[in-house]
Amino acid sequence: MKSYKIALVLDDSLDTPDGVQQYVLNVGRWLSENGHTVHYLVGETKRRPELAHVHSMGRNVKVRFNQNRMSMPLPASNKKIRELLAVEQYDIIHVQMPYSPFLAGRIVKNADSRTAVVATFHVAPHGKMVHAANVLLRLMVHGSIRRFDEFISVSPVAQKFAQQTFRIQSTVVPNTVDLTNFYTPKPFKQYEASTNIEFFGRLVERKGAQYFLRAINRLHKASRLPEDCRILVCGAGPLDAQLKAYVAQNGLADIVDFAGFIPEEDKSRWLACGDIVVYPSTGGESFGIVLLEGMAASRGMVIAGNNPGYRGVLGDHPEVLFDPKDEAAFADKLHEYLASDKLQRQVAAWQKPYARTFDLPNVMHKIVTVYERALHKRRS
């Protein structure tokens, strides 16, 4: 395999542990370990001393987008960009989409004529306003879009978004996940003997922790939870105080533990505690990296909200999908699996090997194939 010099471009900071950042870091790590030279051309990034070749291209401001908090770049220096590209002479520039005209757009416009430009679409828009904002963004970056040689989407949902908002045809290459540390984690000792139902995610409205606790409360009041049951809420966010108040008001404090923010290095151990790991997101997901991590690491199984992104991962097994806002059906779904160890084992038996099909080596060869196709187009 040829070795290439690759620039991974992200308008956002690499300092946060969100899905797109994990994608960039996983792709970069695998490429570096397999003989390629990788540079990161990113927004304002300060806390990545372990990475070589991080180019923080400018300042960022915090905004809300797609029901997430993220940062967007202020206009980057064209001079700084031109100087960097002239010195490094990248073979491939790989941009995460949607992108800003103020950073990634300027990098693309200044790319050398022999440099292949590839994009990955990550977003599944959550609501009409977000869709409209991306249509407007397409108009703003229209000039630079023509410079791309290949487009990837991480899921059919992201592929549909690319077509509807940017009028772009793309190839689906699934999100790549480094699951190395998720196959044999050790659970925390205090949760080894209990039956654990676990929410994992940010404590924001669309991730559905509030629906999770309402379903748990319904089961608790009906005495449908196992006697040794523990409820683990793993995550931090603006709903933290509200959720803790709900737990206290409904007499759930004896069975609910709030773990707070989970660092990446502890994620697999927390997941390993889960007999049923629940991701009740209502939408805005383009894929489901978290589902794959949960399937690989949990000692049991995963169920998830029936949104398009999660359906793209679990759609062949609709029995593990549910409507988070239907409290009664959500509670019944939990009880269905709590009541049957055999059913839990059956689900785990297909989920664990299925997660492995998304592991880094299996997916990265497909991405490298896209790179080579883009280079062939560009240089022939």
Side-chain angles (χ1 to χ4, degrees):
M1 182 174 65
K2 276 188 173 182
S3 61
Y4 301 115
K5 193 171 192 178
I6 301 161
L8 299 176
V9 179
L10 174 67
D11 289 309
D12 208 339
S13 171
L14 276 180
D15 291 337
T16 58
D18 294 333
V20 180
Q21 282 83 350
Q22 291 306 307
Y23 177 93
V24 169
L25 293 171
N26 286 335
V27 168
R29 187 182 306 115
W30 187 92
L31 290 169
S32 297
E33 290 171 354
N34 285 270
H36 304 283
T37 302
V38 178
H39 288 222
Y40 302 86
L41 279 56
V42 295
E44 190 172 1
T45 298
K46 300 174 182 176
R47 298 193 299 273
R48 286 290 174 185
E50 77 280 11
L51 292 179
H53 310 306
V54 174
H55 304 277
S56 187
M57 305 302 291
R59 295 182 57 207
N60 286 56
V61 293
K62 296 290 184 182
V63 296
R64 286 193 64 83
F65 177 77
N66 208 24
Q67 295 197 16
N68 282 327
R69 282 196 64 81
M70 61 179 289
S71 61
M72 63 176 289
L74 297 174
S77 165
N78 270 309
K79 180 182 177 184
K80 181 179 178 181
I81 290 169
R82 283 194 295 267
E83 289 175 350
L84 177 66
L85 297 182
V87 169
E88 300 299 344
Q89 293 292 304
Y90 298 112
D91 296 302
I92 299 145
I93 291 175
H94 184 172
V95 179
Q96 315 314 307
M97 291 190 73
Y99 65 89
S100 166
F102 299 136
L103 197 161
R106 294 185 175 189
I107 292 170
V108 171
K109 282 185 173 181
N110 285 290
D112 183 87
S113 61
R114 286 179 56 79
T115 300
V117 183
V118 174
T120 294
F121 278 92
H122 297 271
V123 167
H126 194 69
K128 292 180 180 179
M129 286 188 67
V130 176
H131 176 86
N134 278 284
V135 171
L136 178 61
L137 181 60
R138 170 175 61 83
L139 299 175
M140 294 173 66
V141 298
H142 177 71
S144 58
I145 282 178
R146 290 177 294 182
R147 178 61 181 80
F148 284 82
D149 299 292
E150 287 282 342
F151 294 94
I152 295 169
S153 290
V154 298
S155 67
V157 179
Q159 183 185 47
K160 184 178 180 181
F161 164 80
Q163 199 281 322
Q164 288 183 339
T165 56
F166 282 81
R167 299 176 183 171
I168 285 170
Q169 300 301 319
S170 59
T171 302
V172 174
V173 177
N175 246 318
T176 181
V177 190
D178 185 358
L179 295 174
T180 307
N181 297 324
F182 288 82
Y183 291 131
T184 56
K186 292 183 179 179
F188 291 104
K189 199 173 183 74
Q190 66 266 37
Y191 296 114
E192 286 181 347
S194 52
T195 299
N196 305 314
I197 311 172
E198 188 170 24
F199 167 88
F200 216 97
R202 293 191 305 280
L203 303 185
V204 296
E205 185 177 347
R206 75 177 180 87
K207 292 294 185 179
Q210 66 277 28
Y211 306 119
F212 171 71
L213 289 175
R214 288 173 198 167
I216 292 297
N217 187 40
R218 186 178 280 261
L219 291 175
H220 180 65
K221 286 182 175 176
S223 300
R224 298 172 76 192
L225 291 173
E227 289 185 7
D228 65 342
C229 193
R230 302 297 306 173
I231 309 303
L232 310 181
V233 179
C234 298
L239 294 184
D240 183 74
Q242 177 184 324
L243 296 173
K244 287 177 178 175
Y246 179 87
V247 165
Q249 290 162 6
N250 288 277
L252 299 171
D254 290 343
I255 63 169
V256 176
D257 293 344
F258 285 87
F261 174 77
I262 307 298
E264 282 298 307
E265 59 268 24
D266 292 337
K267 187 188 290 187
S268 62
R269 293 195 68 191
W270 279 103
L271 287 169
C273 299
D275 294 288
I276 303 177
V277 183
V278 187
Y279 297 96
S281 176
T282 58
E285 312 291 350
S286 64
F287 190 67
I289 290 176
V290 290
L291 306 185
L292 301 172
E293 292 172 342
M295 285 187 267
S298 73
R299 69 187 186 193
M301 53 166 286
V302 163
I303 64 173
N306 191 6
N307 65 68
Y310 287 177
R311 218 166 31 245
V313 177
L314 295 172
D316 289 342
H317 294 272
E319 67 275 9
V320 296
L321 295 168
F322 61 92
D323 178 0
K325 295 182 180 180
D326 186 338
E327 292 176 31
F330 187 172
D332 288 343
K333 178 65 67 177
L334 284 169
H335 186 260
E336 176 186 0
Y337 291 109
L338 284 169
S340 174
D341 290 340
K342 180 181 178 181
L343 198 54
Q344 286 185 41
R345 288 194 298 272
Q346 286 175 346
V347 174
W350 68 258
Q351 285 190 346
K352 293 196 176 299
Y354 175 63
R356 286 179 180 268
T357 65
F358 294 87
D359 210 346
L360 267 170
N362 297 321
V363 176
M364 281 306 304
H365 290 296
K366 298 176 183 177
I367 291 179
V368 171
T369 298
V370 173
Y371 287 170
E372 291 174 339
R373 194 163 66 227
L375 274 169
H376 178 73
K377 286 181 182 178
R378 175 58 42 184
R379 294 182 177 178
S380 64

